Amino acid sequence: MNFELDDEQRLLADSAERFLTQSYSFESRRQRVKQGRQLDHDVWQAFADAGWFHLPFSEAEGGLGGRLQDSMVLMQTLAKGLIIEPLWANTYLAGSLIKRINHPLKQPWLESLMAGKGHFALAVHEYEQAFSITNSCNTLATHEATGYRLNGRKCVVLNAELAQWIFVLANIDDELALLAVERDTAGVHVSGHRLVDGSRAAEVTFNNVLIAEENRLQASGGISLLMQQTLHEAGLALAAEACGIIDALMSTTLAFVKTRKQFGVAIGQFQALQHRLVNMFMMSENCRSLLYAATLKAEERHDDASVVYHRLQAMVAEYGRHIAQECIQLHGGMGMTDEVMVGHYLKRLLCIESLTGDLRHHLLASIEPVSTQANVA
Amino acid sequence: MNFELDDEQRLLADSAERFLTQSYSFESRRQRVKQGRQLDHDVWQAFADAGWFHLPFSEAEGGLGGRLQDSMVLMQTLAKGLIIEPLWANTYLAGSLIKRINHPLKQPWLESLMAGKGHFALAVHEYEQAFSITNSCNTLATHEATGYRLNGRKCVVLNAELAQWIFVLANIDDELALLAVERDTAGVHVSGHRLVDGSRAAEVTFNNVLIAEENRLQASGGISLLMQQTLHEAGLALAAEACGIIDALMSTTLAFVKTRKQFGVAIGQFQALQHRLVNMFMMSENCRSLLYAATLKAEERHDDASVVYHRLQAMVAEYGRHIAQECIQLHGGMGMTDEVMVGHYLKRLLCIESLTGDLRHHLLASIEPVSTQANVA
Amino acid sequence: MNLVASTEDREFQAQVKDFISDHLTDDIRRAGRLATSVFADPELTMAWQRILHAKGWAAPHWPVEYGGTGWTLSQRAIFAEALINADAPPLIPMGLMMCGPCLIGYGTDTQKNELLPRILSGEDFWCQGYSEPDAGSDLVSLRTSAIRDGDDYIINGSKIWTTYAHHANKMFCLVRTCKESKPQSGISFLLLDMNLPGITVRPIIGLDEAPEQCEVFFENVRVPASQLVGQENQGWTVAKYLLVFERGGLEYAPVLSVQLAKIRQMAQRQNTADRKTLWQQESFQLNFARCQRDIQALEFTEKRIKSALSSGGNPGALSSMTKVIGTELQQKLTELALSCLGAQALIWQPNALVPSQPAQPLGPEYAVTAVPHYLNTRATSIYGGSNEVQRNIIAKMVLGL
Amino acid sequence: MNLVASTEDREFQAQVKDFISDHLTDDIRRAGRLATSVFADPELTMAWQRILHAKGWAAPHWPVEYGGTGWTLSQRAIFAEALINADAPPLIPMGLMMCGPCLIGYGTDTQKNELLPRILSGEDFWCQGYSEPDAGSDLVSLRTSAIRDGDDYIINGSKIWTTYAHHANKMFCLVRTCKESKPQSGISFLLLDMNLPGITVRPIIGLDEAPEQCEVFFENVRVPASQLVGQENQGWTVAKYLLVFERGGLEYAPVLSVQLAKIRQMAQRQNTADRKTLWQQESFQLNFARCQRDIQALEFTEKRIKSALSSGGNPGALSSMTKVIGTELQQKLTELALSCLGAQALIWQPNALVPSQPAQPLGPEYAVTAVPHYLNTRATSIYGGSNEVQRNIIAKMVLGL
């Protein structure tokens, strides 16, 4: 076993950190959030130039190898800057889906995505729906002579405003299906809005939208499995971001309590706060451990890769929330303002928690079907 | 509203406290536990003389009025001494049952119970059975010409060793039934043992035991309701005991941390411990508040008396465990010994938690069927 | 011991309910429903205060001679609960709950005659200048100075976390009038007009992106010495009275009960994978049941404190306890609400929160408030004496540590 | 980064498993299964140590020259996990894990030659005399004195929480040899025979009613000065080495995994009201899943520490972290086990726990250990440096507070 970064990964982390320091200041990010701009083209071009869009794809797909570890390092490092651009939504969420489907446009889609030109969205969530992907879906498509008619409404569709194609989870004959819908098709209405973390998404309504037969996506193993694999791969990258945020929260807050004084001493001297910080630190280390475990197991295709993935998600959701809330409390009034980072980290964690399944979903999915013995290391 | 004890209750509390100080030392209790004696007749006689066996029964039943508040005060006060005699099992658990049934012997049973002569047991629990009373029961009775044949096994039957009569929860034709079984009947085998808290119970097996028709107990409203009412009334007294134990744990531990020194200062000076103690204190006050709420609501027959009862049980189970464990931790090594009280309090709380239903049972039963607005005080 | 409500109380409750249903307008009610903080929309809240004032009910807790109602503690609780159950926006407390009682206790006759009626009518909008950048929970180290110069004090320094300073025309504040004496005895309690030259107000944007708190800067601000409340250098006495009032006066359980009932309704509307509602999930029910249990315990803890007060007892530091339990339960409830909603709660739509002209929300209305409310509520364990400071107080005053 | 296990490791694992299944007798295995503490039945545990010693596997972590195996860290972990999975009783650590390494590091050649072989063979049974009645987590204030008198030290004082002192024939202990110097530099590390005149051992009955800990009294006990380990007054250096060894050497995750698997089996055997098993209850599954998640995180935290050790790094105070997490998870698991069993766990039957001749239990065997194990495990957050002290260490050494 080995938990050290290799040279390539160290370079990747360094370049991401350099990008944040040089081109992604807190102030410039706040301005962009305030302006409601959908994409900063300079930032997006910088991502493309750095090769980050190629990272999760294999050489056969035209990418850089697609090692999950590399994406982990990138997302962990970029986390600190709270990227509002749809890097995850486009490259990881839509990208993980595209690479797993059979479709005539698959390769052109991947190429335009990696070039930084193509934008794609995956429409999963609906209103008044506690998290569920596989069993229930009120967006319906019916058979037509030349394809399908789609009706329904999806919410919180990331990157829908920019997307040329939206992949829509729908029911056809009581069966789960994925439809590729061109955004410009008649009957598609995209209503963009901000999310709590400053990034953007949209409500997308489908009003008798005509879909060609070939745009009902196919995948070996079926749509349920496709969605599961997509969410696991993309979710792993998102969990890496959560771990990066947790690290940033811890270092920001530790620095704060060492300097902030109350009653004449640095508040980090108060034992009650120290013990809470130690608990937070232990949680953050456990998150890191599970991130490594989940990433390496997925990469090495262990039998328990899937359950470990869900454990990771369940842990970053629960511990991340706890840590962020404690960090705000420890910052006192300042933590409640828009002016310091901690609150923004909490907002991003709230998003991460909700995008790939809720805590209960992850916990229940994390139980192995049969009891196994501890493995050889 | 009024939360003060009245004069009568104050006298009751004083007499119980005096009894503990004068006749129920920690050392004498330990000796009796070690000897495995089933009953200390002097202690039992003292209970009878004090009128405590009469407390939960109405004047019509030959008792002292049966105010739930009075029993609350008694059980809360006696809690500190960790009574190992079957006061609760006989007077409250069996007593609450007997007062609700129709049976020719009902009045003689009550009279002998109040006189301190009659002993009764209620057999509810079974092995490999997570808590459930109403829906499942592997003890079965079948019809016979003159009554029933009973077969099965009950565990943790309190007071079974002393009991003349055992009330047994059984299934007859897939319906829940209660059978009154004389302990000396052929086929009844009582195998006594200690419980973790030093009190005694027994495994009782029924091997083709013949039960007369009249000993199938009847109650208006059916057996399920009877069991529920019995467990609520008895459970309230048990929760009062738990609250008394929590108070005793808090005062013992507060006294300890004020004197025990480490690193040159009393450990109660350490802020991390102070904040934990404050949390424990707040929990203990909330338990007391719910005890008052549940007792008064039951006494005044409020609509929500039942849900409040379950909330109380769910709270003393969860907070009581937390407080007891923290008290042991704060006592350090000494808390792990048989020589100080805290561990014994924890053991009794473990028993209390398991006797009338588990945490999940109480929580689920504590939810009102429909949403109600806050009540007028 | 007993819980029985009197016939009088039941009649009073009916009377209060009637008044509210006749006078609480739809837009004011919406201001209450859409509030994501204890501070609802200021304009509609003041409109509601004027309606209550016309009835003589703006300050039930004040002595009758100053405009109070003379109600019993029990009647006051009934009134407060009826307002909460009707979604009425809570009145803004700085004047009615904080400055007013203080003036009643320590003000001169002139101060009382002039200022109290304007608090009741809402003509004056007060803010509280206590905290400073380096003196949050630690008021002893405050540094804003007031130096006597003839009949005036000259104020220099700054205050922070001053709620609604940008709406207020008056401030009551603590200033340092003596640097030589012991830290807490050199402080005075002063009233001032917010339009005095030398005062600058900078609203602070909160996590919910709303400007609720402010920073206030004083540069050679002249305040007439007649604006002193109580003795010079005795401001701490006045302030402590306020703090006790602020903490002991609040009851958390009634608001929490209403919030929990709303969460139940939300959970009943969320669908899950197996065609059940979220409400039917065992894990949700257990979380819900714990909250309900804890709220009811708090309700009775608050009743016990009130009952001790009625019979002349001193609830002492127990009000620190209800502050800690109440605020931490509030936070837990906002988390429970979030857990119902999943991704739909992430949509950020402040325009849907404007009660006078709310935009049509994306998704259900109840999902719009969840995240801002969750974020805003993180502050409850920080302000009014942080919960850490409250725990220190309980450890010392109640547990004797 | 990678997790790949080598072919050699897989072969080694097979070899270890074979040996265990050939040599671990039923009664020794039962001693492991019925253990309600880290200390299993002493006699059967020593019998198992003799079997391992005959194979040369009693102390894999010792240097080869003293009887170790020369295994890699990875092989040691494989061996440890195989033992746990087979329910083998853990070897008693005081000699093998604590005194032995210490002698290897600081003992004279005479001490090593004489004592190390007797530790391996089990001929000597050691106990550890560190804690004192007023010096639990705070070793600096220990007071048991050793005064030089010719070639001897004369010992007076007492030790407490001395595990298995009533079984031991040897003790290694810390004594105060100088009162003038700074508190931690006047302490020496001494070996002594438990049968010396003036030593009295009083077993302490624990919550589980088993005498595991003892109090040991010294009244003018004469110990030859040759029994000193390291320099006089430098005992703290030796002791610190032991503490690091005790904390860093343990891995919690493997034991926890096996315990959790057993809890799963128990839950699958408990019936509930709706003719399902406890295992099928959502609330149980969520509790279980959280434990499983946390155990796996700890497993990888321990792997990370080991990996840092392999490549020469210093895991530092991270071993304090695994102590805290590991012991608190142990406690949580014993609570989860209790929550499966309900009232049947309350039956107190110590006779069913005697591994050599266990009485037939009332109820299922797995229910017999649950409460004693739960009670005994409360101590894990107290001994070996209380978790409060560990948190202080982490705050200072890792977080820099």
Side-chain angles (χ1 to χ4, degrees), chain A residues 1-6 9 67 69 72-73 250 254 257-258 268-269 271 273-275 277-279 281-283 285-290 292-293 296-297 299-300 302 304 307-308 310-312 314-315 318-319 359-360 363-364 366-377, chain D residues 1-6 9-10 13 74 77-78 81 85 254 257-258 260-262 264-265 268 279 282 285-286 288-290 292-294 296-304 306-308 311 318 320-321 324-325 328 332 387-392 394-396 398-401:
Chain A
M1 273 176 314
N2 171 12
F3 293 98
E4 301 290 310
L5 298 190
D6 62 29
Q9 291 166 340
R67 276 205 307 172
Q69 294 183 36
M72 178 190 95
V73 169
M250 287 304 297
L254 281 168
V257 301
K258 287 174 191 176
Q269 292 299 307
Q271 195 197 29
L273 305 191
Q274 288 183 348
H275 282 204
L277 282 159
V278 168
N279 289 343
F281 170 73
M282 294 191 300
M283 288 179 184
E285 286 298 319
N286 272 339
C287 286
R288 189 194 320 283
S289 292
L290 271 192
Y292 292 176
L296 296 179
K297 295 219 172 203
E299 194 123 81
E300 297 174 8
H302 281 250
D304 57 353
V307 296
V308 179
H310 286 294
R311 283 174 203 154
L312 168 64
M315 185 173 276
E318 209 159 37
Y319 290 1
L359 180 61
R360 171 180 170 276
L363 283 173
L364 293 178
S366 78
I367 299 175
E368 293 144 342
V370 290
S371 188
T372 60
Q373 298 284 44
N375 286 319
V376 176
Chain D
M1 291 190 180
N2 70 72
L3 297 177
V4 178
S6 67
D9 279 355
R10 261 177 266 132
Q13 186 184 38
S74 164
I78 289 166
E81 287 187 24
N85 287 331
S257 294
V258 171
L260 189 69
K262 288 182 182 174
R264 180 177 181 144
Q265 287 160 15
Q268 284 165 340
W279 172 251
E282 180 175 308
Q285 291 221 336
L286 292 175
F288 181 91
R290 282 191 171 87
Q292 197 169 36
R293 172 193 74 182
D294 293 352
Q296 187 159 43
L298 177 61
E299 179 196 334
F300 274 79
T301 301
E302 289 176 336
K303 281 193 208 301
R304 284 170 52 211
K306 202 159 54 186
S307 152
S311 46
L318 289 178
S320 283
M321 183 171 90
V324 172
I325 300 174
E328 292 175 5
K332 208 178 280 178
N387 286 13
E388 286 76 17
V389 168
Q390 306 292 358
R391 284 188 167 85
N392 289 345
I394 298 168
K396 192 172 169 187
V398 185
L399 306 186
L401 296 171

Side-chain angles (χ1 to χ4, degrees), chain A residues 44-93:
Chain A
W44 201 246
Q45 191 55 49
F47 289 0
D49 294 347
W52 296 341
F53 298 146
H54 287 74
L55 211 55
F57 301 101
S58 69
E59 281 164 25
E61 290 155 350
L64 279 171
R67 276 205 307 172
L68 294 173
Q69 294 183 36
D70 298 341
S71 291
M72 178 190 95
V73 169
L74 178 69
M75 293 299 283
Q76 243 184 322
T77 314
L78 284 180
K80 192 180 172 192
L82 291 175
I83 301 299
I84 51 172
E85 285 70 19
L87 173 66
W88 180 75
N90 204 44
T91 317
Y92 288 96
L93 186 60

Side-chain angles (χ1 to χ4, degrees), chain B residues 1-5 69 72 254 257-258 268-269 271 274-275 277-279 281-282 285-286 288-290 292-293 296-297 300 302 304 308 311 314-315 318-319 359-360 363-364 366-377, chain C residues 1-5 9-10 13 74 78 81 85 254 257-258 261 264-265 279 282 285-286 288-290 292-294 296-301 303-304 306-307 311 318 321 324-325 328 387-388 391-392 394-395 398-401:
Chain B
M1 275 174 314
N2 171 11
F3 295 98
E4 301 290 308
L5 298 190
Q69 293 183 38
M72 178 189 95
L254 281 168
V257 301
K258 287 174 190 174
Q269 292 299 307
Q271 195 196 29
Q274 288 183 349
H275 282 205
L277 282 158
V278 168
N279 289 344
F281 170 74
M282 295 190 299
E285 286 298 318
N286 273 339
R288 188 194 320 284
S289 293
L290 271 193
Y292 291 176
L296 296 177
K297 295 221 172 203
E300 298 175 6
H302 281 249
D304 56 353
V308 180
R311 283 173 203 154
M315 186 175 275
E318 209 159 38
Y319 290 0
L359 180 61
R360 171 180 171 277
L363 283 172
L364 292 178
S366 78
I367 298 175
E368 293 143 343
V370 289
S371 186
T372 61
Q373 297 285 43
N375 285 319
V376 177
Chain C
M1 290 191 182
N2 69 73
L3 296 177
V4 178
D9 279 354
R10 260 178 265 132
Q13 186 184 38
S74 163
I78 288 165
E81 287 187 23
N85 286 330
S257 294
V258 172
R264 181 177 181 142
Q265 287 160 16
W279 173 252
E282 179 174 308
Q285 291 221 335
L286 292 174
F288 181 91
R290 282 191 171 87
Q292 196 169 37
R293 172 193 74 181
D294 292 352
Q296 188 160 43
L298 177 61
E299 179 196 334
F300 274 79
T301 301
K303 281 193 209 301
R304 284 169 55 211
K306 203 159 53 187
S307 153
S311 46
L318 289 178
M321 183 170 90
V324 172
I325 300 175
E328 291 175 7
N387 286 14
E388 286 77 17
R391 283 188 166 86
N392 288 345
I394 299 168
V398 184
L399 306 186
L401 296 173

Side-chain angles (χ1 to χ4, degrees), chain B residues 153-213:
Chain B
R153 184 161 60 158
K154 294 284 178 184
C155 70
V156 191
V157 186
L158 304 180
N159 208 27
E161 290 169 296
L162 296 168
Q164 293 102 26
W165 287 88
I166 302 175
F167 306 115
V168 183
L169 204 64
N171 260 320
I172 301 179
D173 302 334
D174 258 335
E175 209 181 313
L176 210 60
L178 260 173
L179 299 171
V181 183
E182 269 189 291
R183 216 230 356 216
D184 293 341
T185 317
V188 175
H189 180 70
V190 173
S191 172
H193 58 78
R194 247 195 60 190
L195 291 182
V196 53
D197 68 341
S199 69
R200 294 194 60 86
E203 174 185 290
V204 186
T205 45
F206 305 96
N207 197 354
N208 276 320
V209 179
L210 188 64
I211 315 281
E213 179 66 47

